[in-house]
Amino acid sequence: MKKTLLTLIVVLSFAANAGAVNVNGKVQVMGRPSWAKVITVVYAEPIDGSRVQPGRFSMSQRNKTFSPTVLPVPAGSTIEFPNDDRVFHNVFSLSRPGSFDLGLYRAGASKSRLFSTPAIYRIFCNIHPQMTAVVLVLPTSYFTLTNPAGGYSLDLPPGRYRVTVWSERSTPSTAEISVAAAPVAVSDLRLDESKFVEVSHKNKFGEDYPALAYDPMIDRKSR
Ligand SMILES: [Cu+2]
């Protein structure tokens, strides 16, 4: 019985991947300091259109940081924002088209939101100005992160794709590819991060954070 189940799982997972072709490459990055930990996303959007398969994802708040700090999801996905910290947090975004505010909530609590339209959401906490993250709502289910050396690999069904590389420090770069039977090596994706300048953001009212917000002592009050 157990063996039958295992065989079935193997057959099913093979079927889901049947006909998929490996697409890989290495993103060339210019102007990134060696100390910077930059999350780089590569996604492949079918040019001829295909159904996007949404899912459930999570971005938690822990040690006064969002984790992960960059979260790519297919359009239509729901993201949970659990507070896994010992202090109160807030989650908000002023990004378009769907700016939102999940309100202030306590340790152990969680709120979620549906992200239906492709967009880039900058996520903040109204209490802690150092908490920043990005949600990338993508028009595709095919995406991955690059490894530290810039390498990436995606398994795609045959077809034509627009492959895009994105990081917070650059304008994105794209390449069009055709996927048939043989693996595809993509060579022309580049990011120029040399013009990146870090800018401070406003709170959810569009105002500067109070000076006290930058003082770690404030957390004693919200415990
Ligand atoms: Cu916070």
Side-chain angles (χ1 to χ4, degrees), residues 155-223:
D155 290 328
L156 304 176
R160 290 168 60 234
Y161 293 86
R162 189 175 301 111
V163 183
T164 301
V165 56
W166 177 95
S167 92
E168 208 178 356
R169 292 175 166 247
S170 169
T171 50
S173 158
T174 63
E176 288 192 12
I177 60 165
S178 265
V179 177
V184 180
V186 184
S187 58
D188 45 359
L189 285 181
R190 301 191 156 70
L191 289 179
D192 180 1
E193 299 184 343
S194 59
K195 295 184 188 69
F196 174 73
V197 181
E198 188 134 22
V199 287
S200 62
H201 62 276
K202 304 289 186 187
N203 69 11
K204 69 183 182 185
F205 306 111
E207 296 163 356
D208 289 330
Y209 282 76
L212 195 61
Y214 294 89
D215 182 349
M217 294 294 280
I218 195 174
D219 294 320
R220 289 193 182 171
K221 292 177 185 170
S222 51
R223 247 170 220 167

Side-chain angles (χ1 to χ4, degrees), residues 80-194:
E80 282 281 342
F81 293 92
N83 180 347
D84 293 329
D85 229 335
R86 290 188 297 165
V87 296
F88 274 78
H89 287 298
N90 159 256
V91 178
F92 78 94
S93 177
L94 300 176
S95 302
R96 291 169 178 275
S99 61
F100 64 92
D101 178 11
L102 300 183
L104 193 66
Y105 53 103
R106 66 177 61 250
S110 183
K111 304 235 175 158
S112 67
R113 186 180 187 277
L114 172 69
F115 291 86
S116 46
T117 316
I120 297 175
Y121 286 93
R122 296 187 179 279
I123 309 284
F124 303 113
C125 167
N126 203 50
I127 307 172
H128 305 107
Q130 75 271 31
M131 292 177 66
T132 68
V134 178
V135 167
L136 286 177
V137 187
L138 301 175
T140 177
S141 307
Y142 306 116
F143 57 85
T144 188
L145 306 182
T146 65
N147 63 30
Y152 62 90
S153 170
L154 284 165
D155 290 328
L156 304 176
R160 290 168 60 234
Y161 293 86
R162 189 175 301 111
V163 183
T164 301
V165 56
W166 177 95
S167 92
E168 208 178 356
R169 292 175 166 247
S170 169
T171 50
S173 158
T174 63
E176 288 192 12
I177 60 165
S178 265
V179 177
V184 180
V186 184
S187 58
D188 45 359
L189 285 181
R190 301 191 156 70
L191 289 179
D192 180 1
E193 299 184 343
S194 59

